Amino acid sequence: MATNAEIAGRFEEFADLLEADDVEYKPRAYRRAAENIRAHPVPIGDRVADGDEAILDEIDGVGDAISSKIVEYVETGSIEELEELRAALPIDIADITRIEGVGPKTAGKLYRELGVQTLDDLEEAAEANEIQAIKGFGPKTEANIRDGIEFAREVGQRQLLGEARPLADDVLEFLGNVDAVERCEVAGSIRRWRETIGDVDALVGTDDNEAVIEAFVGWDSVDDVIESGPEKASVRVGEIRVDLRVVVPEEFGSALQYFTGSKDHNVRLRNYAIDRGMKLNEYGAFDVSAVDDHEADQRVGDRVAGETEAGMYEALDLPWIPPELREDRGEIAAAENGELPDLITREDVRGDLHSHTEWSDGNTSIEAMVEAAESKGYDYYGVADHAEGPGVVGGMGLSNTEILEQVEQIREVDAASEITVFAGIEANIDADGEIGLSEDVIHALDVVVASTHSALDQDAETATDRLVRAIENPAIDVLGHPSGRLLNERSGLDFDATALGAAAAEHGTALEVNSNPRRLDLWGSAVQAAVEEGAPISINTDAHQPSTLEYMRWGVHTARRGWAEPGDVINTWELEELREFLH
């Protein structure tokens, strides 16, 4: 059955092809629908296939026209209108638009003028100097396209948060040391801590644009300057594009709010402002209650906020909304009603319950991992090496006998350590939702993490039933990385996150936010669905060496995207409370 990601992908392609065909308005609507479909916690394809088309009414941006296309796709595997668009514009739109400066409209023009359908066609046209002959292009544009083709071939996917955020931190450190910079912050999806990002957006408040731009493009880490102007510049650092925008200091707060997004959050907030006689944009918050035509000028009306981001929300009598929540999933209503969550922070975490050692596929001893956990100030720490079973790479899983041997060693390390060391295991959930641990092993262990590593192509109903059966197993304490996905590699299981949350709440099983940046599984909207059902959450690193204990950062922000508070997360609890939960 079609997954949410697959359905979303069809509408993203729809949007690109429509834009390539110079259609206005529709592309934006399709992109918004695609984003909301992808993030929806319930597998809509399965629901529609079962005759529950009402599920589509719950998705923002999905009206009658888009709903009918979703039903058509679920029932037939295709959308007639999309097939017609593909026939009219037989372009590898995703490949071609990976090139810097080549959007869907440009791709459409290249096809109409030169018959370019693929990257190979584009390269051939560039080498033959045919692109510069097209009106509106020229030698420089052609050279940029030619230079970008190899890069587009190499980088066909969004960057992982865990790869891009460290660069963003470096950007902020660099900009913070530039004398002309008064304030700086990242914006866009990376500030909202999305699991993948397109590029790094940085914002600077300054009264000396020229000095900041000059310093930025001259940064030693820059591999290529894409463009540079009086108010913005773009560079490439490694494989990641970094976009800088500079504004006057008194507009820094409004620009930060605007460019952080998401678009849906901003649209909702702007409409909220309009209902109260206010106007919000990147230049500030303006009282336009006495203005007849407030669309005539971006800065029309009495400016009441803009220097700080918090002031933009205060102008609407709202508290500041953390960036992780700005996805238009109810955060503005929650702010209005004083119901914003008190989000978990990194400092709230007291331990990590899922990590690996050299006993299975880790590369470090139990002692070394425990020592690293101690250095983080944890109160407790869990070793959970792989048990043998389906999907464990290279046969690295431990047998029941080996697990009991490891438990003895963990007990010795625990006795010599300043923190509590839990003896755990990562068991394998088979296709039917069962685990292969013996009763004596289960009784010897402190914590059982159970994860899927195989049969990841099951339909959503089967996958949901499989995971619920595991949750109902009293031996299992934590459901590890529930979907089994690997970002940019495989989508993993599609399941009903609300159903998992309800089962986890009923049976006292924690749902894991796996902090490995290739997983981030559960993800924000799924965490939110689970928390709303009262499910306990566990944020773990799945670390295989001491350095990857740092992954906790990504897991915490992912849980924040799911509205998780400290009390929702079992590894923020006091030791005795956690012991009671595990037993």
Side-chain angles (χ1 to χ4, degrees), residues 86-210:
R86 287 171 171 169
L89 290 168
I91 308 169
D92 288 345
I93 193 80
D95 285 348
I96 290 175
T97 54
R98 286 175 190 141
I99 296 174
E100 299 287 355
V102 179
K105 286 184 178 293
T106 300
K109 190 169 186 178
L110 288 167
Y111 170 71
R112 288 187 290 271
E113 297 287 338
L114 301 175
V116 169
Q117 299 182 38
T118 67
L119 283 175
D120 289 341
D121 294 341
L122 189 61
E123 185 173 40
E124 184 176 330
E127 295 296 339
N129 296 324
E130 295 174 346
I131 295 174
Q132 61 180 277
I134 301 174
K135 183 178 179 180
F137 285 70
K140 184 177 180 180
T141 300
E142 184 178 72
N144 289 339
I145 289 174
R146 186 187 301 113
D147 293 341
I149 288 173
E150 182 178 353
F151 183 78
R153 286 195 175 111
E154 293 175 355
V155 185
Q157 301 162 324
R158 288 170 62 86
Q159 301 293 327
L160 300 182
L161 173 67
E163 297 171 349
R165 182 69 208 204
L167 171 59
D169 295 339
D170 290 344
V171 171
L172 289 178
E173 182 179 5
F174 171 76
L175 290 172
N177 289 320
V178 175
D179 290 339
V181 172
E182 292 191 22
R183 300 169 67 185
C184 62
E185 182 56 273
V186 292
S189 58
I190 202 163
R191 186 170 181 239
R192 304 197 313 276
W193 298 84
R194 290 196 61 174
E195 59 261 44
T196 63
I197 63 101
D199 48 43
V200 172
D201 297 307
L203 182 71
V204 161
T206 181
D207 287 318
D208 191 348
N209 291 14
E210 184 177 354

Side-chain angles (χ1 to χ4, degrees), residues 427-472:
N428 299 282
I429 302 172
D430 67 19
D432 297 319
E434 304 296 333
I435 60 174
L437 300 180
S438 64
E439 287 298 320
D440 58 337
V441 164
I442 291 170
H443 288 299
L445 293 166
D446 300 313
V447 56
V448 174
V449 179
S451 310
T452 56
H453 297 98
S454 61
L456 300 180
D457 57 351
Q458 292 176 322
D459 63 78
E461 182 178 359
T462 302
T464 301
D465 289 344
R466 171 190 184 183
L467 295 174
V468 168
R469 281 197 297 275
I471 288 169
E472 293 171 345

Side-chain angles (χ1 to χ4, degrees), residues 481-550:
H481 52 74
S483 80
R485 75 178 184 178
L486 291 175
L487 292 167
N488 289 348
E489 296 179 44
R490 69 181 186 219
S491 58
L493 295 170
D494 201 13
F495 54 77
D496 186 334
T498 298
L500 259 61
E506 180 181 355
H507 295 279
T509 303
L511 303 180
E512 182 180 70
V513 174
N514 188 293
S515 304
N516 185 314
R518 294 175 63 229
R519 293 190 183 275
L520 297 183
D521 176 14
L522 294 168
W523 50 93
S525 60
V527 173
Q528 185 177 4
V531 166
E532 287 175 353
E533 294 298 318
I537 302 296
S538 183
I539 307 174
N540 301 312
T541 62
D542 199 354
H544 284 62
Q545 59 188 29
S547 64
T548 50
L549 291 174
E550 294 294 334

Side-chain angles (χ1 to χ4, degrees), residues 395-452:
M396 297 294 290
L398 305 181
S399 68
N400 284 315
T401 299
E402 290 170 327
I403 294 170
L404 292 173
E405 292 173 357
Q406 188 191 47
V407 169
E408 291 182 8
Q409 183 172 342
I410 292 173
R411 298 297 182 218
E412 294 175 2
V413 174
D414 176 44
S417 300
E418 295 182 5
I419 65 174
T420 296
V421 184
F422 291 119
I425 200 69
E426 183 180 11
N428 299 282
I429 302 172
D430 67 19
D432 297 319
E434 304 296 333
I435 60 174
L437 300 180
S438 64
E439 287 298 320
D440 58 337
V441 164
I442 291 170
H443 288 299
L445 293 166
D446 300 313
V447 56
V448 174
V449 179
S451 310
T452 56

Side-chain angles (χ1 to χ4, degrees), residues 322-356:
E324 296 96 327
L325 301 186
R326 300 181 198 174
E327 301 291 349
D328 192 25
R329 296 204 302 261
E331 66 275 9
I332 294 173
E336 182 182 21
N337 296 326
E339 297 174 351
L340 283 176
D342 181 14
L343 296 178
I344 185 174
T345 68
R346 177 66 183 81
E347 290 71 30
D348 294 318
V349 177
R350 295 175 179 270
D352 188 339
L353 301 178
H354 179 184
S355 66
H356 297 268

Side-chain angles (χ1 to χ4, degrees), residues 20-49:
D21 203 28
D22 290 329
V23 175
E24 297 184 7
Y25 307 119
K26 269 190 176 182
R28 181 177 178 181
Y30 280 0
R31 289 197 176 96
R32 180 167 182 258
E35 184 172 351
N36 292 335
I37 290 167
R38 189 182 298 277
H40 201 273
V42 173
I44 64 174
D46 276 47
R47 289 288 189 89
V48 171

